Amino acid sequence: MNTFLWILAVALAAVFVASGAMKLLAPREQQIEKTPYAEDFPHSVIQGIGALEILGALGLVAPALTGIATILVPLAAAGLAITMVFAALVHARRGDPFRAMLPSMLLALGSVVVAWSRFGPYPL
């Protein structure tokens, strides 16, 4: 189970780093073209979400690798799960309940699995 949780955490971290980097680095016009919800928020908010996603991804892996403050792993996973629930709500509000909401919910579910497992039966 520990191996599965490591694989899941690394996979989630990779997705969140990629997503966060796109939100931080891509010009606003390109973000709106790829993700239309971006036009509903100021660019600084989108960049803030990107920074939080990258920090959350680091929190999924770095404490476990170093053995320092390992409680941050399930906390980061829980924070990312909450972020993805709100992302799903944004997509639902925009009337895009399936195409965009499904990835958000899958990421939330994966993050919940890591958080629950690392808080509970499989701590680091």
Side-chain angles (χ1 to χ4, degrees):
M1 185 64 170
N2 192 45
T3 302
F4 168 73
L5 290 172
W6 267 102
I7 292 168
L8 183 58
V10 169
L12 286 169
V15 169
F16 281 112
V17 164
S19 174
M22 194 277 296
K23 289 179 178 94
L24 271 176
L25 302 174
R28 181 166 175 75
E29 297 76 29
Q30 185 180 2
Q31 289 178 0
I32 291 171
E33 182 181 309
K34 288 186 177 183
T35 54
Y37 70 85
E39 69 183 339
D40 294 349
F41 300 97
H43 190 59
S44 59
V45 171
I46 299 297
Q47 289 178 321
I49 293 168
L52 288 174
E53 287 179 352
I54 291 172
L55 289 173
L58 290 174
L60 282 175
V61 179
L65 286 175
T66 63
I68 300 170
T70 55
I71 189 65
L72 293 177
V73 173
L75 290 174
L80 289 170
I82 292 167
T83 302
M84 290 298 98
V85 167
F86 281 109
L89 291 173
V90 166
H91 293 300
R93 183 190 71 171
R94 287 185 54 84
D96 193 8
F98 297 109
R99 186 178 63 86
M101 198 161 98
L102 184 60
S104 297
M105 293 313 298
L106 289 175
L107 288 171
L109 180 61
S111 298
V112 166
V113 168
V114 171
W116 174 81
S117 298
R118 291 303 188 199
F119 271 132
Y122 305 101
L124 290 169

